[in-house]
Amino acid sequence: MKKSALELKRDLSTIAANLESTAGEISRLAERVNDVDVVAVLHLMNQQYKDADRLRAYVDEIRAGRITRAKPE
């Protein structure tokens, strides 16, 4: 795999991990706040996890060679 593809894969994996970490932080913060809208918090967390899953799917496509990064012109 070319260096630019490895960098892209690494960046996407890092962003996915950050999204999941943020979802966990949202959960912990919501537990400490009174009168929090649980449905809204769950919706935010669900979206974070979905986005992380989408990024990991892109990583899999990069690994399989279906997505490549072209050199800038």
Side-chain angles (χ1 to χ4, degrees), residues 13-23 48 56:
S13 292
T14 299
I15 293 167
N18 289 344
L19 285 170
E20 288 183 339
S21 176
T22 301
Q48 295 282 87
R56 289 210 167 84

Side-chain angles (χ1 to χ4, degrees), residues 13-65:
S13 292
T14 299
I15 293 167
N18 289 344
L19 285 170
E20 288 183 339
S21 176
T22 301
E25 286 296 317
I26 290 170
S27 175
R28 285 185 285 284
L29 287 171
E31 290 173 357
R32 296 187 299 184
V33 176
N34 293 332
D35 299 325
V36 67
D37 185 349
V38 175
V39 173
V41 170
L42 291 175
H43 177 72
L44 288 171
M45 290 172 52
N46 187 42
Q47 187 60 52
Q48 295 282 87
Y49 285 121
K50 281 183 182 180
D51 289 346
D53 289 344
R54 285 179 36 218
L55 289 174
R56 289 210 167 84
Y58 293 145
V59 169
D60 291 342
E61 288 186 50
I62 293 167
R63 188 175 294 125

